[in-house]
Amino acid sequence: MSRIGKKPIPIPKGVNVHIEPDAVEVKGPKGTLRQPLPRGVHVEQADGHLVAKAEGEPREMSKFHGLGRSLVANAVRGVHEGFRRELDIVGIGYRAELKGRQVVFALGYSHPVVFDIPKGIDIAIDKQTHLTVTGVDRQLVGQVAANIRALRKPDPYKQKGVRYTGEVLKKKVGKTGA
């Protein structure tokens, strides 16, 4: 069996869980999420905890057992606390501006780049160069942050572009004249 799948998921106060045969619906102070479960995995509620159970062959189902447990744990944490990713914009003249449900980036291209904010995601901009992507769904928050980073990936030579806060770039060594 999966080590991750065996761990119980604590249910915080203010979070309601409704278990269906193929999905788990979680409601909390931050919102509601419906998490589909992988085939062969079901979730049971026992004394304030959720427990993922694998059906069928334990060897074949162990990978889905841990996956199912992680997805449900992320949903519970998301509706209770939420998730966030922070990005920094580095470069002269590089900046971002929030206009309604769109972010307008100036990233050194000949035109501004307009990024539509998906439903369920909030973006806050500090000092025009620091973005915070927040939301309930961990997968969606990570994907939106990755899409923003892909608009101008960090350059390994000049260290310019959009990067995650705290991301360390490997500086490439130039040619040697030997």
Side-chain angles (χ1 to χ4, degrees), residues 3-133:
R3 290 183 197 162
I4 301 284
K6 288 181 189 177
K7 289 182 176 180
I9 304 165
I11 302 173
K13 290 187 178 184
V15 175
N16 296 327
V17 179
H18 177 69
I19 300 170
E20 299 171 11
D22 61 341
V24 175
E25 189 169 319
V26 186
K27 292 181 184 176
K30 298 257 185 198
T32 303
L33 275 180
R34 185 175 192 282
Q35 182 60 57
L37 293 172
R39 202 172 38 136
V41 177
H42 68 277
V43 176
E44 297 173 356
Q45 188 170 359
D47 54 281
H49 293 302
L50 291 174
V51 180
K53 302 275 184 178
E55 301 168 356
E57 283 292 315
R59 287 294 275 171
E60 295 174 12
M61 287 297 149
S62 66
K63 56 187 167 193
F64 297 119
H65 184 209
L67 171 70
R69 187 252 178 226
S70 294
L71 292 173
V72 173
N74 286 339
V76 169
R77 182 176 164 214
V79 298
H80 186 251
E81 300 170 13
F83 292 99
R84 65 188 292 140
R85 289 292 282 189
E86 295 184 7
L87 297 123
D88 289 324
I89 303 172
V90 179
I92 296 174
Y94 289 13
R95 62 183 165 274
E97 183 181 355
L98 197 59
K99 289 187 179 178
R101 292 293 295 166
Q102 293 181 331
V103 181
V104 179
F105 291 96
L107 297 173
Y109 298 119
S110 62
H111 57 282
V113 179
V114 179
F115 183 83
D116 293 322
I117 302 172
K119 186 180 174 190
I121 295 292
D122 292 321
I123 296 179
I125 300 174
D126 302 329
K127 300 185 238 173
Q128 296 182 336
T129 59
H130 184 78
L131 282 82
T132 305
V133 180

